[in-house]
Amino acid sequence: MSEDDLEVDVVDLVGPEEIGEVPQARSIRRFTTSAANARSGAHLGSILSDVYYGVVTVAIGVAIALGLAQQLRVSLPATPQVEARQGLSLPTLVVVVLVGLVGVLLSVAGRLGPIGAGGAEATWWLGLPVDRRGLLRPAARRLPLLAGLVAAVLVALLDAGLLADSPARVLQVAVTSALVASAVVLLAGLAQTAGVARRSTALTGDLVLAAAPFAAFASALVSVHLVRVPTLPWPGVVAVAVGVAVLAVAVDRRLGRVPTRTLRESGSVASQAVGAMVSLDSRELGRALSDGTAPAARRRTSRLRTVRGPASALVTSDLVVLRRSVRHLVQLVVAALVPVLVCTVPQLASTAGVLLAVLVCGAVAQSATAEGARRAEMAPALDRLLPLSARTVRRLRMVVPAGAMLLWSLVVFAAVGGWAGHVTQWLALGVAGTPVWAAAAVRAAYRPAPDWGAPLVSTPMGALPSGVGSVIARGPDVVVLGLLPVWIALLLGTVTPVLLGVQAVCSLIAVLVASSTDSRGLMERMLDASQDQEAAAARASGTGTGAGGRR
């Protein structure tokens, strides 16, 4: 057989010689969107239903917030002209709140990216030989537009509810705030394109937030008061809009320079945060915002000299986690300064104002102290390796929150004592209630996940499984019930020995409740207990009948 008689099949392993044109980034985005919509099963009716629920929810929330703001403005006590120099005007207070919100916005923008590509976008898009700017434009526009919309609504509510300005001025303030919020996020995006670390941007926002209460104290001390919230005239608003447009163009032109690693990290953090919000898991949301800006390596190593055994190792680890989290430290400082500010400003130092400040700021402060417990709930393997029982572990997890909340209570209740009188008695009440804050922090950290297979209940936020409210209430329920003597003392304006004794008992009960490893709710426990009693009674009656028959 000759070689000519052999038929050889030639296989083209490389591909055709003619290669088509590389598609544009816009066509790739449209193809990805259409493919996702085709496989999601969503139709026009479901989309309209979601939009309807969203509009109704926002409208109800705006109406409630506006009513609360107006009620707060009416309930604030009027300050005599002689003491007005030592107070803080409402416009000044609103400006301080706005400065704090700018810090929060900058911190969140730094932790989220704000430019990122997560999940399938990072897997399929970033490796394509197309212009990356076209792929990243929707992600770069999303957060500035969202920040501008939220800022416009929030600041308009503050201005209309607290200051009762005219509709024209409210509109002017809302537009200005929207432009400023968008500019803040665009500046964070421009810093990301320039190679600035995201944790540096987040730290700058945290420092701005921490500076807001100090600015309020300085304004009250030097008697600098604002008559109204400063805003720009319409020509100035147009100039700011032009500046925001220039920033947007600058960010758009530099989108191709953002490293792939930064885009993946930012997109992963944003996806984790969105998933946490959808699943109503505040613990996962906090981990997303904290771990996203944590440094990969540290310059110095802690020797952990306080570790002498499993118990001390557990407490030391919680202390190290709190010490290394700048966001939580700033959260503690701000939560301690706000009640002091409320107690020292005559316009705010009312019974309702002080009570609300202590309750809200205490809840914010105690949530910042339980990061170690939240991490242990996410990865319990290390705790199970220790020669400690589960109840002992949870009680040891309360040590660091108790120490931090003790410092918070000393600062806050000293200010409350200065406002109500008898500082020593208020300090004793604050110290007696410290274990309740620690117990609430640990109880919230170890709360179980909602049962998403349970029957759905229609709510203004959509369909949610039954029992979600009881799960979310784990932690806040201990604060509300365990600190009931504190709330009564604040309403009465005085501390009695009976309230001190009752508070000590409530603190002990709160520690015992938070130490329990039973994940069932109170109603479930009562129902199971009643069923067990009925079963025991049935068994006893059956045993008695059998014994009588044998007789």
Side-chain angles (χ1 to χ4, degrees):
M1 183 181 293
S2 62
E3 295 181 358
D4 296 337
D5 296 334
L6 296 176
E7 295 182 0
V8 179
D9 294 333
V10 179
V11 180
D12 192 353
L13 299 178
V14 177
E17 297 181 358
E18 297 182 0
I19 301 177
E21 297 182 358
V22 178
Q24 297 182 355
R26 180 179 300 178
S27 62
I28 293 177
R29 294 202 320 264
R30 290 180 177 177
F31 173 78
T32 306
T33 303
S34 61
N37 293 335
R39 289 172 171 80
S40 63
H43 49 83
L44 182 61
S46 62
I47 296 176
L48 293 178
S49 177
D50 293 340
V51 172
Y52 169 76
Y53 269 112
V55 171
V56 171
T57 302
V58 171
I60 293 175
V62 169
I64 293 176
L66 183 60
L68 291 176
Q70 292 177 347
Q71 186 64 29
L72 178 61
R73 174 174 54 86
V74 173
S75 62
L76 289 177
T79 304
Q81 295 295 328
V82 179
E83 300 179 357
R85 300 177 182 178
Q86 301 177 357
L88 194 68
S89 62
L90 276 179
T92 307
L93 178 63
V94 172
V95 170
V96 169
V97 173
L98 294 180
V99 172
L101 292 178
V102 169
V104 172
L105 178 60
L106 184 59
S107 178
V108 172
R111 297 176 191 279
L112 294 180
I115 305 170
E121 295 179 356
T123 303
W124 295 102
W125 286 1
L126 298 182
L128 296 177
V130 298
D131 184 16
R132 184 170 290 183
R133 292 170 53 191
L135 296 175
L136 297 178
R137 275 171 183 163
R141 296 170 181 171
R142 191 178 300 122
L143 195 55
L145 293 177
L146 180 62
L149 178 61
V150 173
V153 175
L154 185 59
V155 178
L157 288 175
L158 289 174
D159 190 74
L162 291 179
L163 304 180
D165 284 337
S166 61
R169 180 170 175 80
V170 171
L171 177 62
Q172 189 176 3
V173 171
V175 173
T176 305
S177 60
L179 292 174
V180 171
S182 301
V184 170
V185 178
L186 289 173
L187 287 174
L190 190 62
Q192 183 183 4
T193 59
V196 178
R198 292 187 297 117
R199 64 175 176 271
S200 300
T201 305
L203 178 60
T204 303
D206 293 338
L207 294 178
V208 173
L209 174 61
F214 291 101
F217 280 114
S219 175
L221 290 177
V222 300
S223 300
V224 176
H225 306 298
L226 298 176
V227 180
R228 54 177 22 183
V229 176
T231 186
L232 296 174
W234 286 113
V237 173
V238 173
V240 173
V242 173
V244 171
V246 171
L247 278 176
V249 172
V251 172
D252 181 77
R253 291 185 175 181
R254 299 176 63 91
L255 288 178
R257 303 182 184 182
V258 184
T260 302
R261 179 180 178 181
T262 303
L263 292 175
R264 291 180 182 272
E265 291 177 353
S266 302
S268 176
V269 172
S271 301
Q272 185 180 0
V274 172
M277 294 181 64
V278 172
S279 59
L280 304 177
D281 192 351
S282 59
R283 298 169 299 183
E284 187 67 21
L285 180 60
R287 282 192 289 265
L289 297 179
S290 299
D291 296 343
T293 56
R298 299 187 179 276
R299 297 181 180 179
R300 61 185 183 88
T301 303
S302 178
R303 297 184 180 274
L304 305 179
R305 300 181 184 276
T306 58
V307 176
R308 294 293 184 269
S312 58
L314 203 65
V315 176
T316 302
S317 64
D318 287 351
L319 184 60
V320 171
V321 169
L322 178 60
R323 177 172 56 84
R324 290 180 175 179
S325 180
V326 179
R327 181 176 70 91
H328 290 131
L329 293 177
V330 172
Q331 189 174 334
L332 273 171
V333 172
V334 174
L337 291 179
V338 170
V340 176
L341 179 65
V342 172
C343 293
T344 54
V345 174
Q347 290 90 341
L348 302 177
S350 61
T351 301
V354 174
L355 177 61
L356 184 63
V358 173
L359 175 61
V360 175
C361 294
V364 172
Q366 60 93 12
S367 66
T369 62
E371 184 62 26
R374 288 190 289 267
R375 292 176 182 269
E377 189 275 337
M378 179 184 64
L382 294 178
D383 287 351
R384 293 177 181 176
L385 293 176
L386 297 174
L388 299 171
S389 64
R391 290 178 178 269
T392 305
V393 168
R394 296 200 178 190
R395 289 170 184 171
L396 290 174
R397 293 288 182 189
M398 300 181 197
V399 174
V400 173
M405 293 307 297
L406 177 61
L407 298 177
W408 180 89
S409 298
L410 292 177
V411 174
V412 171
F413 282 91
V416 173
W419 164 69
H422 303 288
V423 178
T424 306
Q425 296 179 0
W426 284 102
L427 286 176
L429 184 62
V431 172
T434 298
V436 178
W437 297 112
V442 173
R443 177 173 168 82
Y446 283 99
R447 68 174 181 261
D451 183 10
W452 298 104
L456 298 180
V457 178
S458 179
T459 66
M461 297 181 61
L464 295 176
S466 58
V468 173
S470 62
V471 172
I472 298 177
R474 288 178 179 263
D477 55 354
V478 174
V479 172
V480 174
L481 298 177
L483 292 175
L484 191 59
V486 175
W487 314 140
I488 295 175
L490 288 173
L491 292 175
L492 298 177
T494 183
V495 179
T496 62
V498 176
L499 290 177
L500 283 173
V502 174
Q503 183 58 66
V505 175
C506 291
S507 298
L508 178 60
I509 295 175
V511 171
L512 294 177
V513 170
S515 302
S516 175
T517 58
D518 195 345
S519 60
R520 297 174 301 171
L522 180 60
M523 296 300 297
E524 295 179 359
R525 295 183 189 181
M526 296 175 62
L527 181 61
D528 293 343
S530 63
Q531 292 177 355
D532 293 341
Q533 291 178 0
E534 292 177 358
R539 287 195 300 268
S541 61
T543 303
T545 303
R550 285 194 298 269
R551 291 191 189 95

